[in-house]
Every structure is written in C-alpha cells, then in structure tokens.
C-alpha cells in the first residue's frame, strides 16, 4: 500500500496540470485515507515489527516510506517509542511530561488538552532535535539523514514537477493526514489512567475496524506487549484476560478516529 501511495503521488504530480480542478479534487479522499492509514497502521506496525529480516531492506523501505509521510520514519519511531516508554503520562511538578506526545502535555489543571488544539498543533510541536540526539546515541544518524534527505528531495521534486500539486494537494494532505492520525492517538488514550499498567490506553473490539486496521483497536493490549505482531493482539487479551477484566478501563464503542462519539455523555468503563 505504501508503494502504491508513492506511485500515485508521483502520477498525480506529473498529470496535475492536465486535469481540471474538480477531477483533481476527487483524489483528495483516497490520498488522505492512504496517508492516514500509512501513519496509523502501516508505519506504526513497521517500527514495531519491521517487514524484513534484512536490515538493509528495512532501511531502504524506511527511506522510501519517509517520502510518503514527508517525515523520517526513524523520527517517527523515536517519538513513538518515547510514547510507549512513558505511556501518555501526566504533567509533573514542573508542568512537564516525559511522553512528548502525551495528551496531558499542554493541558491545564491536570486535564487532557482540548482535542482540537492537540491535533491541530501537534505537527508544529514535533521536535526533530531530540530524534537526532537519539539517532546519534543508537548509531542511526546516517539512516536519519538519508530519510530526511529523501523527504527534502521529494518536496523539491514535486515543486519542480508541479508547484500547484504541492501547494494545493500534497501540503493539505500532509497536514490533515497527521491531524487525523493524532486524532486517533488522542482517543486511544483519552479517559485512560496513565498510572495503571492495565488501563493506560483504551481498546475498541469492533470486528470490522480491527479486520481492516490490523487489530489497531486492541490498543491497551498493544501497549502491554508492543513488540508482538499485530495479528497476535487478540491473543494478548486472552492471555491477560484476568488482569484486564478486573480493572476499570475504557472500552470504546466506536473506533478511536470517531472517538468523540464515545464521550458524548459519560465515558464508558468496563470490566469485560
């Protein structure tokens, strides 16, 4: 899917000027969905369980896919692993969180930040500096530079091919794609209890969403066993059922991207 996304973007850039605006506009929903799915599902699974046994192939894929996200995959991985390490923690006495993407990071009075500002500003709060420090620490500086270079070259290429495509299509897709990615992340943690190992995330057990989104709904289970392949997440629930069923935690009726529907009225907690 990520290869198809790249090919489609190049095709649209090359042919942008030959179509009327309405024809180009029809590609927005598809490309936005693909960007979001890539960030939420494909890249998320890749950083936890890379596709290949070969480190070279994984690194090559990361370079290619970085152009889809307009952001280095290694940067994504460092931010995401930081999130797993600190589990959407609350602010400390100094008003700081250790999880850089915590929903509490910019909240007030110990509460979650408003969902709109969280999603709208998240991409502007992204700190590449820490990722470069982490990459240097783990011997990944070259890989991060390659991925960053690929992003820059892709942007330059799109601008040279069609600046209208970049300005009116690629840029909005980039922003909105990350917006709804952070929207899902927000509701995968909103209402959860950061201090509780078995309730610091939410889960949605709907079959359709989990079928098409690689068991992304099993988010609490994923936090408990982050390096287990996505296909095995339902088994994590079964293996830890006693612990998970005996704690009050948030079970979403609707998938996280529609998370606001779960919180009209009282948050539903469940001991399944």
């Amino acid at each position: 899917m990520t290869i198809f996304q790249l090919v489609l973007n190049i095709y649209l850039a090359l042919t942008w000027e030959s179509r009327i605006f309405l024809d180009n506009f029809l590609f927005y929903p598809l490309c936005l969905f693909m960007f979001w799915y890539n960030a939420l599902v494909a890249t998320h699974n890749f950083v936890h369980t890379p596709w290949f046994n070969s480190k070279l192939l994984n690194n090559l894929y990361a370079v290619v896919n970085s152009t889809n996200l307009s952001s280095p995959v290694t940067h994504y991985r460092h931010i995401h692993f930081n999130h797993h390490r600190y589990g959407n923690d609350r602010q400390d006495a100094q008003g700081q969180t250790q999880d850089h993407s915590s929903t509490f990071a910019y909240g007030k009075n110990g509460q979650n930040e408003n969902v709109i500002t969280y999603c709208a500003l998240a991409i502007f709060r992204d700190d590449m500096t820490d990722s470069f420090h982490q990459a240097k620490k783990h011997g990944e500086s070259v890989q991060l530079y390659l991925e960053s270079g690929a992003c820059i070259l892709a942007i330059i290429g799109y601008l040279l091919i069609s600046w209208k495509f970049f300005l009116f299509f690629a840029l909005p897709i980039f922003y909105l794609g990350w917006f709804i990615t952070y929207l899902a992340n927000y509701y995968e943690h909103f209402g959860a209890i950061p201090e509780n190992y078995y309730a610091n995330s939410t889960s949605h057990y709907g079959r359709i969403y989990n079928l098409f989104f690689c068991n992304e709904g099993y988010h609490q289970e994923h936090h408990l066993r982050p390096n287990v392949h996505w296909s095995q997440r339902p088994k994590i629930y079964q293996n830890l059922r006693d612990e998970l069923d005996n704690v009050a935690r948030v079970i979403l009726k609707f998938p996280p991207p529609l998370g606001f529907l779960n919180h009209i009225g009282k948050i539903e907690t469940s001991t399944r």
Side-chain angles (χ1 to χ4, degrees), residues 65-241:
N65 196 36
S66 294
T67 64
N68 283 330
L69 301 174
S70 297
S71 179
V73 169
T74 297
H75 171 56
Y76 178 112
R77 179 159 53 82
H78 285 304
I79 289 179
H80 190 65
F81 283 9
N82 166 267
H83 165 67
H84 273 275
R85 182 178 182 182
Y86 296 110
N88 200 59
D89 61 329
R90 302 180 195 271
Q91 294 178 3
D92 59 22
Q94 288 71 45
Q96 303 294 318
T97 62
Q98 296 185 80
D99 179 353
H100 303 320
S101 61
S102 175
T103 59
F104 293 98
Y106 293 89
K108 296 180 179 179
N109 302 318
Q111 301 300 310
N112 294 276
E113 182 181 7
N114 177 274
V115 61
I116 300 299
T117 59
Y118 176 81
C119 298
L121 300 177
I123 196 65
F124 302 109
R125 295 166 175 169
D126 215 357
D127 182 13
M128 284 284 291
T129 305
D130 184 63
S131 291
F132 276 101
H133 286 315
Q134 291 296 322
K136 183 177 181 180
K137 180 179 177 181
H138 294 91
E140 299 173 340
S141 294
V142 173
Q143 179 64 23
L144 183 52
Y145 279 118
L146 287 173
E147 293 170 11
S148 301
C151 293
I152 294 171
L153 287 175
I155 292 171
I156 293 173
Y158 289 139
L159 284 170
L160 291 175
I161 295 171
S162 173
W163 65 268
K164 292 180 181 178
F165 164 80
F166 178 78
L167 185 62
F168 298 117
F169 191 84
L171 203 56
I173 292 293
F174 166 79
Y175 178 76
L176 292 174
W178 283 115
F179 183 101
I180 58 178
T181 299
Y182 276 100
L183 177 66
N185 179 71
Y186 186 91
Y187 285 112
E188 285 175 338
H189 298 91
F190 182 77
I193 307 170
E195 300 79 13
N196 191 316
Y197 184 67
Y198 293 100
N200 60 9
S201 304
T202 72
S203 286
H204 168 72
Y205 296 112
R207 293 184 179 180
I208 295 177
Y209 179 73
N210 284 302
L211 174 64
F212 289 102
F213 286 79
C214 299
N215 290 324
E216 185 67 24
Y218 288 83
H219 202 70
Q220 179 63 70
E221 291 77 1
H222 170 60
H223 267 263
L224 290 170
R225 299 291 186 271
N227 293 325
V228 172
H229 193 267
W230 63 265
S231 61
Q232 302 303 308
R233 288 175 191 166
K235 290 185 178 180
I236 298 173
Y237 171 70
Q238 295 300 326
N239 292 337
L240 299 175
R241 189 161 189 165

Side-chain angles (χ1 to χ4, degrees), residues 15-27:
T15 59
W16 188 263
E17 308 290 344
S18 66
R19 290 187 299 272
I20 62 173
F21 176 79
L22 180 60
D23 289 341
N24 287 326
F25 183 79
L26 295 176
F27 285 98

Side-chain angles (χ1 to χ4, degrees), residues 257-271:
L258 300 175
F260 65 95
L261 296 175
N262 295 285
H263 300 286
I264 296 176
K266 185 178 179 180
I267 295 173
E268 180 189 359
T269 58
S270 173
T271 51

